[in-house]
Amino acid sequence: MWTLVGGVASVLSILGWLGLSNAGELKDLLADSRPSSSSTAPYTSSPTDRVPDDSDTGEGSAEGPEPDPEPSTPAPDPTEKAFEAISVGDCLTVYDTGRGGTSVDWSVGAPPDPVSCAGEQAQVQVTAINTDCPTSYGKSYWSYRSTTTGDNTKLCLTRVYHANYCILGRQSGDSISLALMTAVACRREPVPVPYNQIMHITGVYRAPAGADANNCRRVAGDQTRYWAALVDDGATLLCTTIYQGS
């Protein structure tokens, strides 16, 4: 009995200290102090994956596409370079061998270094480049198309003649056609078809008006048989005889 009375007194003392008048108000106070089940938890942002940009250089960075390979440069064409190195006015040690028949067969595959036009080594002179070339007596052309670039180079050539040199000829009866772009050693030996004569150049003269083979006589009473041609657009008289040497 006394224990129960003491417990009630203790409860009344607590209510009085809290400023409550009965146990119902204490229950309401305790209910208000509980956390609400609908309370929202504090927001914490989640880390996001970062996409590496072009400036990333660390390991694991995404690499860009491989650059396109540079186009390869074709190897230079030495023959084309040799043709391109020639200038108008140059003289060359080049001639027709006669082995091409009616077509020109040049003595070399590419232009050699130019030589003095005043020297006896000069066989042709370049009169124009990359244009239409005349093909009259003592004139022809030499062209080359590069297999590397596809470009074409064309040299217009005029034959340079020297006394005591020899060219090829084709005889039919008393008539001899002179192969005016050819050059050949002055000695008796078989000649390429269709030629059948070696012609010896006896003189290279400034042509007088109406010049012909009669103007080739070297002394009075000269009975030598001459075959002549007007070259350099008629300005030069070229005199020849059938080579009689050994």
Side-chain angles (χ1 to χ4, degrees), residues 169-220:
R170 182 170 56 185
Q171 183 172 14
S172 177
D174 287 337
S175 175
I176 297 181
S177 298
L178 302 177
L180 294 170
M181 298 302 295
T182 65
V184 66
C186 293
R187 58 176 177 261
R188 299 307 305 177
E189 61 181 15
V191 297
V193 176
Y195 306 106
N196 54 16
Q197 290 291 1
I198 295 175
M199 306 301 294
H200 181 237
I201 300 174
T202 59
V204 182
Y205 310 108
R206 178 174 294 179
D212 59 21
N214 291 320
N215 297 102
C216 293
R217 293 189 176 96
R218 288 169 284 183
V219 294

Short mmCIF file of all heavy atoms in Angstrom, two decimals, residues 169-220:
data_model
loop_
_atom_site.label_atom_id
_atom_site.label_comp_id
_atom_site.label_asym_id
_atom_site.label_seq_id
_atom_site.Cartn_x
_atom_site.Cartn_y
_atom_site.Cartn_z
N GLY A 169 72.29 7.31 -146.91
CA GLY A 169 71.52 7.63 -148.11
C GLY A 169 70.86 6.39 -148.67
O GLY A 169 71.28 5.26 -148.37
N ARG A 170 69.82 6.61 -149.45
CA ARG A 170 69.13 5.50 -150.11
C ARG A 170 69.15 5.77 -151.61
O ARG A 170 68.51 6.71 -152.09
CB ARG A 170 67.70 5.37 -149.59
CG ARG A 170 66.92 4.20 -150.18
CD ARG A 170 65.61 3.99 -149.46
NE ARG A 170 64.78 5.17 -149.44
CZ ARG A 170 63.63 5.27 -148.78
NH1 ARG A 170 63.21 4.26 -148.04
NH2 ARG A 170 62.93 6.38 -148.84
N GLN A 171 69.87 4.92 -152.32
CA GLN A 171 70.03 5.12 -153.77
C GLN A 171 69.05 4.26 -154.55
O GLN A 171 68.86 3.08 -154.26
CB GLN A 171 71.48 4.79 -154.21
CG GLN A 171 71.73 5.05 -155.68
CD GLN A 171 73.20 4.90 -156.05
OE1 GLN A 171 73.98 4.36 -155.28
NE2 GLN A 171 73.58 5.39 -157.21
N SER A 172 68.48 4.88 -155.56
CA SER A 172 67.62 4.18 -156.50
C SER A 172 67.97 4.71 -157.89
O SER A 172 67.61 5.84 -158.23
CB SER A 172 66.14 4.43 -156.18
OG SER A 172 65.30 3.81 -157.14
N GLY A 173 68.73 3.93 -158.67
CA GLY A 173 69.24 4.41 -159.95
C GLY A 173 70.27 5.49 -159.72
O GLY A 173 71.18 5.35 -158.91
N ASP A 174 70.09 6.60 -160.40
CA ASP A 174 71.01 7.73 -160.22
C ASP A 174 70.57 8.68 -159.10
O ASP A 174 71.30 9.62 -158.76
CB ASP A 174 71.11 8.53 -161.52
CG ASP A 174 71.92 7.80 -162.58
OD1 ASP A 174 72.73 6.93 -162.19
OD2 ASP A 174 71.73 8.09 -163.76
N SER A 175 69.41 8.42 -158.53
CA SER A 175 68.86 9.30 -157.49
C SER A 175 69.23 8.76 -156.11
O SER A 175 69.15 7.54 -155.86
CB SER A 175 67.35 9.42 -157.64
OG SER A 175 66.80 10.17 -156.59
N ILE A 176 69.64 9.66 -155.25
CA ILE A 176 69.93 9.28 -153.86
C ILE A 176 69.17 10.22 -152.93
O ILE A 176 69.30 11.45 -153.02
CB ILE A 176 71.44 9.36 -153.55
CG1 ILE A 176 72.22 8.36 -154.42
CG2 ILE A 176 71.68 9.09 -152.07
CD1 ILE A 176 73.71 8.38 -154.15
N SER A 177 68.38 9.61 -152.06
CA SER A 177 67.69 10.38 -151.02
C SER A 177 68.58 10.42 -149.78
O SER A 177 69.02 9.36 -149.28
CB SER A 177 66.35 9.73 -150.67
OG SER A 177 65.49 9.72 -151.78
N LEU A 178 68.84 11.61 -149.30
CA LEU A 178 69.72 11.78 -148.14
C LEU A 178 68.90 11.70 -146.84
O LEU A 178 67.87 12.37 -146.71
CB LEU A 178 70.45 13.12 -148.23
CG LEU A 178 71.30 13.34 -149.47
CD1 LEU A 178 71.90 14.75 -149.45
CD2 LEU A 178 72.42 12.29 -149.57
N ALA A 179 69.37 10.90 -145.89
CA ALA A 179 68.76 10.83 -144.56
C ALA A 179 69.38 11.93 -143.71
O ALA A 179 70.42 11.72 -143.05
CB ALA A 179 68.98 9.46 -143.94
N LEU A 180 68.77 13.09 -143.76
CA LEU A 180 69.43 14.30 -143.28
C LEU A 180 69.58 14.40 -141.76
O LEU A 180 70.36 15.22 -141.28
CB LEU A 180 68.70 15.52 -143.83
CG LEU A 180 68.78 15.67 -145.35
CD1 LEU A 180 67.83 16.76 -145.82
CD2 LEU A 180 70.21 15.99 -145.77
N MET A 181 68.86 13.60 -141.00
CA MET A 181 69.02 13.62 -139.54
C MET A 181 69.97 12.55 -139.05
O MET A 181 70.25 12.46 -137.85
CB MET A 181 67.66 13.45 -138.85
CG MET A 181 66.64 14.54 -139.14
SD MET A 181 67.20 16.22 -138.69
CE MET A 181 67.35 16.09 -136.91
N THR A 182 70.49 11.72 -139.96
CA THR A 182 71.36 10.62 -139.54
C THR A 182 72.80 11.06 -139.39
O THR A 182 73.21 12.12 -139.87
CB THR A 182 71.30 9.45 -140.54
OG1 THR A 182 71.83 9.88 -141.80
CG2 THR A 182 69.88 8.94 -140.72
N ALA A 183 73.56 10.21 -138.74
CA ALA A 183 75.02 10.33 -138.68
C ALA A 183 75.56 8.92 -138.62
O ALA A 183 74.94 8.02 -138.02
CB ALA A 183 75.46 11.14 -137.47
N VAL A 184 76.70 8.70 -139.27
CA VAL A 184 77.27 7.36 -139.32
C VAL A 184 78.78 7.49 -139.46
O VAL A 184 79.28 8.49 -139.99
CB VAL A 184 76.67 6.55 -140.50
CG1 VAL A 184 77.06 7.14 -141.84
CG2 VAL A 184 77.04 5.07 -140.42
N ALA A 185 79.49 6.49 -138.99
CA ALA A 185 80.94 6.50 -139.14
C ALA A 185 81.31 6.43 -140.62
O ALA A 185 80.66 5.73 -141.40
CB ALA A 185 81.54 5.33 -138.37
N CYS A 186 82.34 7.14 -141.01
CA CYS A 186 82.78 7.14 -142.41
C CYS A 186 83.68 5.93 -142.65
O CYS A 186 84.92 6.03 -142.64
CB CYS A 186 83.51 8.45 -142.73
SG CYS A 186 82.45 9.90 -142.70
N ARG A 187 83.07 4.81 -142.87
CA ARG A 187 83.80 3.60 -143.24
C ARG A 187 82.82 2.65 -143.93
O ARG A 187 81.61 2.69 -143.68
CB ARG A 187 84.44 2.92 -142.02
CG ARG A 187 83.48 2.54 -140.91
CD ARG A 187 84.20 1.79 -139.79
NE ARG A 187 83.33 1.47 -138.68
CZ ARG A 187 83.25 2.16 -137.56
NH1 ARG A 187 84.02 3.24 -137.41
NH2 ARG A 187 82.44 1.79 -136.60
N ARG A 188 83.37 1.83 -144.82
CA ARG A 188 82.53 0.91 -145.56
C ARG A 188 82.08 -0.24 -144.66
O ARG A 188 82.90 -1.01 -144.14
CB ARG A 188 83.28 0.33 -146.76
CG ARG A 188 83.73 1.35 -147.79
CD ARG A 188 82.62 2.26 -148.30
NE ARG A 188 81.49 1.51 -148.83
CZ ARG A 188 80.37 2.10 -149.28
NH1 ARG A 188 80.26 3.42 -149.25
NH2 ARG A 188 79.39 1.36 -149.77
N GLU A 189 80.81 -0.33 -144.42
CA GLU A 189 80.24 -1.40 -143.60
C GLU A 189 78.75 -1.50 -143.93
O GLU A 189 78.17 -0.56 -144.51
CB GLU A 189 80.44 -1.11 -142.11
CG GLU A 189 79.79 0.17 -141.64
CD GLU A 189 80.05 0.43 -140.15
OE1 GLU A 189 80.93 -0.19 -139.55
OE2 GLU A 189 79.33 1.27 -139.59
N PRO A 190 78.11 -2.59 -143.59
CA PRO A 190 76.68 -2.70 -143.86
C PRO A 190 75.91 -1.58 -143.16
O PRO A 190 76.26 -1.16 -142.04
CB PRO A 190 76.31 -4.08 -143.29
CG PRO A 190 77.60 -4.84 -143.28
CD PRO A 190 78.67 -3.82 -143.00
N VAL A 191 74.88 -1.09 -143.81
CA VAL A 191 74.06 -0.02 -143.25
C VAL A 191 72.66 -0.54 -143.00
O VAL A 191 72.23 -1.50 -143.63
CB VAL A 191 74.05 1.21 -144.19
CG1 VAL A 191 75.44 1.78 -144.35
CG2 VAL A 191 73.46 0.84 -145.54
N PRO A 192 71.94 0.08 -142.08
CA PRO A 192 70.58 -0.41 -141.76
C PRO A 192 69.61 -0.20 -142.91
O PRO A 192 69.68 0.80 -143.63
CB PRO A 192 70.19 0.41 -140.52
CG PRO A 192 71.03 1.65 -140.60
CD PRO A 192 72.32 1.23 -141.22
N VAL A 193 68.72 -1.17 -143.11
CA VAL A 193 67.64 -1.06 -144.10
C VAL A 193 66.72 0.08 -143.66
O VAL A 193 66.46 0.26 -142.46
CB VAL A 193 66.88 -2.41 -144.15
CG1 VAL A 193 65.68 -2.32 -145.10
CG2 VAL A 193 67.82 -3.55 -144.56
N PRO A 194 66.25 0.90 -144.59
CA PRO A 194 66.26 0.76 -146.06
C PRO A 194 67.41 1.48 -146.75
O PRO A 194 67.35 1.69 -147.96
CB PRO A 194 64.93 1.38 -146.44
CG PRO A 194 64.79 2.51 -145.46
CD PRO A 194 65.36 2.00 -144.17
N TYR A 195 68.44 1.86 -146.02
CA TYR A 195 69.54 2.62 -146.63
C TYR A 195 70.55 1.67 -147.27
O TYR A 195 70.69 0.50 -146.88
CB TYR A 195 70.21 3.50 -145.57
CG TYR A 195 69.20 4.39 -144.87
CD1 TYR A 195 68.78 4.13 -143.57
CD2 TYR A 195 68.63 5.47 -145.55
CE1 TYR A 195 67.84 4.92 -142.95
CE2 TYR A 195 67.69 6.27 -144.93
CZ TYR A 195 67.29 5.99 -143.63
OH TYR A 195 66.34 6.77 -143.03
N ASN A 196 71.26 2.19 -148.26
CA ASN A 196 72.24 1.36 -148.96
C ASN A 196 73.51 2.11 -149.33
O ASN A 196 74.36 1.56 -150.04
CB ASN A 196 71.62 0.72 -150.22
CG ASN A 196 70.98 1.74 -151.15
OD1 ASN A 196 71.23 2.95 -151.03
ND2 ASN A 196 70.17 1.26 -152.08
N GLN A 197 73.63 3.35 -148.85
CA GLN A 197 74.84 4.14 -149.14
C GLN A 197 75.27 4.93 -147.91
O GLN A 197 74.45 5.33 -147.07
CB GLN A 197 74.61 5.12 -150.29
CG GLN A 197 74.45 4.49 -151.66
CD GLN A 197 75.73 3.86 -152.17
OE1 GLN A 197 76.79 3.88 -151.52
NE2 GLN A 197 75.66 3.29 -153.37
N ILE A 198 76.57 5.11 -147.81
CA ILE A 198 77.15 6.05 -146.85
C ILE A 198 77.58 7.27 -147.65
O ILE A 198 78.35 7.16 -148.61
CB ILE A 198 78.35 5.43 -146.12
CG1 ILE A 198 77.88 4.26 -145.26
CG2 ILE A 198 79.03 6.48 -145.24
CD1 ILE A 198 79.01 3.50 -144.58
N MET A 199 77.07 8.43 -147.26
CA MET A 199 77.32 9.67 -148.00
C MET A 199 78.30 10.55 -147.22
O MET A 199 78.10 10.82 -146.03
CB MET A 199 76.01 10.42 -148.25
CG MET A 199 74.93 9.57 -148.92
SD MET A 199 75.43 8.91 -150.53
CE MET A 199 75.60 10.42 -151.48
N HIS A 200 79.33 10.97 -147.91
CA HIS A 200 80.39 11.78 -147.31
C HIS A 200 80.07 13.26 -147.53
O HIS A 200 79.82 13.69 -148.66
CB HIS A 200 81.73 11.42 -147.97
CG HIS A 200 82.89 12.17 -147.41
ND1 HIS A 200 83.73 12.94 -148.19
CD2 HIS A 200 83.36 12.26 -146.14
CE1 HIS A 200 84.67 13.47 -147.43
NE2 HIS A 200 84.46 13.07 -146.18
N ILE A 201 80.04 14.05 -146.49
CA ILE A 201 79.76 15.48 -146.60
C ILE A 201 81.04 16.19 -147.06
O ILE A 201 82.04 16.22 -146.34
CB ILE A 201 79.27 16.06 -145.25
CG1 ILE A 201 77.99 15.37 -144.79
CG2 ILE A 201 79.04 17.57 -145.36
CD1 ILE A 201 77.51 15.78 -143.40
N THR A 202 80.98 16.76 -148.23
CA THR A 202 82.18 17.44 -148.78
C THR A 202 82.18 18.93 -148.46
O THR A 202 83.25 19.56 -148.50
CB THR A 202 82.24 17.26 -150.30
OG1 THR A 202 81.05 17.81 -150.90
CG2 THR A 202 82.35 15.78 -150.68
N GLY A 203 81.04 19.49 -148.15
CA GLY A 203 81.01 20.92 -147.84
C GLY A 203 79.66 21.35 -147.30
O GLY A 203 78.62 20.75 -147.59
N VAL A 204 79.68 22.39 -146.49
CA VAL A 204 78.47 23.01 -145.94
C VAL A 204 78.61 24.50 -146.24
O VAL A 204 79.45 25.19 -145.64
CB VAL A 204 78.32 22.75 -144.43
CG1 VAL A 204 77.03 23.36 -143.90
CG2 VAL A 204 78.38 21.25 -144.12
N TYR A 205 77.78 25.01 -147.18
CA TYR A 205 77.96 26.37 -147.68
C TYR A 205 76.70 27.20 -147.51
O TYR A 205 75.58 26.66 -147.45
CB TYR A 205 78.32 26.34 -149.17
CG TYR A 205 79.45 25.39 -149.54
CD1 TYR A 205 79.20 24.21 -150.23
CD2 TYR A 205 80.77 25.69 -149.19
CE1 TYR A 205 80.24 23.35 -150.58
CE2 TYR A 205 81.81 24.84 -149.54
CZ TYR A 205 81.54 23.66 -150.22
OH TYR A 205 82.57 22.80 -150.56
N ARG A 206 76.93 28.50 -147.50
CA ARG A 206 75.79 29.41 -147.60
C ARG A 206 75.27 29.30 -149.03
O ARG A 206 76.02 29.47 -149.99
CB ARG A 206 76.20 30.84 -147.28
CG ARG A 206 75.05 31.84 -147.41
CD ARG A 206 75.48 33.20 -146.94
NE ARG A 206 75.76 33.21 -145.51
CZ ARG A 206 76.17 34.30 -144.86
NH1 ARG A 206 76.37 35.45 -145.51
NH2 ARG A 206 76.41 34.23 -143.57
N ALA A 207 73.99 29.03 -149.12
CA ALA A 207 73.43 28.73 -150.45
C ALA A 207 73.25 29.99 -151.28
O ALA A 207 72.60 30.94 -150.83
CB ALA A 207 72.09 28.02 -150.29
N PRO A 208 73.80 30.00 -152.50
CA PRO A 208 73.53 31.12 -153.41
C PRO A 208 72.14 30.95 -154.02
O PRO A 208 71.50 29.90 -153.89
CB PRO A 208 74.62 30.98 -154.47
CG PRO A 208 74.92 29.52 -154.49
CD PRO A 208 74.73 29.03 -153.09
N ALA A 209 71.67 31.96 -154.66
CA ALA A 209 70.36 31.88 -155.32
C ALA A 209 70.39 30.77 -156.36
O ALA A 209 71.35 30.64 -157.13
CB ALA A 209 70.03 33.22 -155.96
N GLY A 210 69.34 29.94 -156.36
CA GLY A 210 69.25 28.85 -157.33
C GLY A 210 70.27 27.77 -157.13
O GLY A 210 70.64 27.06 -158.09
N ALA A 211 70.74 27.58 -155.94
CA ALA A 211 71.80 26.61 -155.67
C ALA A 211 71.35 25.19 -155.98
O ALA A 211 70.20 24.80 -155.75
CB ALA A 211 72.23 26.71 -154.22
N ASP A 212 72.29 24.38 -156.50
CA ASP A 212 72.07 22.96 -156.73
C ASP A 212 73.40 22.25 -156.64
O ASP A 212 74.42 22.83 -156.21
CB ASP A 212 71.37 22.69 -158.06
CG ASP A 212 72.15 23.21 -159.26
OD1 ASP A 212 73.38 23.41 -159.14
OD2 ASP A 212 71.53 23.42 -160.32
N ALA A 213 73.46 20.99 -157.06
CA ALA A 213 74.69 20.19 -156.94
C ALA A 213 75.84 20.76 -157.73
O ALA A 213 77.01 20.51 -157.40
CB ALA A 213 74.41 18.75 -157.37
N ASN A 214 75.56 21.54 -158.75
CA ASN A 214 76.65 22.15 -159.52
C ASN A 214 77.46 23.12 -158.69
O ASN A 214 78.64 23.38 -158.99
CB ASN A 214 76.10 22.86 -160.75
CG ASN A 214 75.54 21.88 -161.78
OD1 ASN A 214 76.14 20.82 -162.00
ND2 ASN A 214 74.41 22.21 -162.40
N ASN A 215 76.85 23.68 -157.68
CA ASN A 215 77.56 24.60 -156.79
C ASN A 215 78.47 23.88 -155.80
O ASN A 215 79.16 24.53 -155.00
CB ASN A 215 76.57 25.47 -156.03
CG ASN A 215 75.75 26.36 -156.92
OD1 ASN A 215 74.56 26.05 -157.20
ND2 ASN A 215 76.33 27.46 -157.39
N CYS A 216 78.49 22.57 -155.85
CA CYS A 216 79.31 21.79 -154.92
C CYS A 216 80.72 21.54 -155.45
O CYS A 216 81.58 21.05 -154.70
CB CYS A 216 78.65 20.44 -154.63
SG CYS A 216 77.08 20.57 -153.71
N ARG A 217 80.99 21.87 -156.72
CA ARG A 217 82.32 21.62 -157.27
C ARG A 217 83.36 22.44 -156.50
O ARG A 217 83.20 23.64 -156.29
CB ARG A 217 82.35 21.96 -158.75
CG ARG A 217 81.47 21.03 -159.59
CD ARG A 217 81.69 21.26 -161.08
NE ARG A 217 80.92 20.30 -161.87
CZ ARG A 217 79.72 20.56 -162.39
NH1 ARG A 217 79.18 21.75 -162.21
NH2 ARG A 217 79.11 19.64 -163.10
N ARG A 218 84.43 21.77 -156.16
CA ARG A 218 85.42 22.40 -155.29
C ARG A 218 86.57 23.05 -156.08
O ARG A 218 87.23 23.94 -155.56
CB ARG A 218 85.97 21.35 -154.32
CG ARG A 218 84.96 20.95 -153.24
CD ARG A 218 85.41 19.74 -152.47
NE ARG A 218 85.22 18.50 -153.24
CZ ARG A 218 85.48 17.28 -152.77
NH1 ARG A 218 85.95 17.16 -151.53
NH2 ARG A 218 85.28 16.21 -153.51
N VAL A 219 86.80 22.61 -157.26
CA VAL A 219 87.85 23.20 -158.11
C VAL A 219 87.33 23.25 -159.54
O VAL A 219 86.37 22.56 -159.90
CB VAL A 219 89.17 22.37 -158.07
CG1 VAL A 219 89.79 22.43 -156.66
CG2 VAL A 219 88.93 20.93 -158.50
N ALA A 220 87.98 24.04 -160.33
CA ALA A 220 87.59 24.12 -161.75
C ALA A 220 87.80 22.77 -162.42
O ALA A 220 88.82 22.10 -162.21
CB ALA A 220 88.40 25.19 -162.47
#
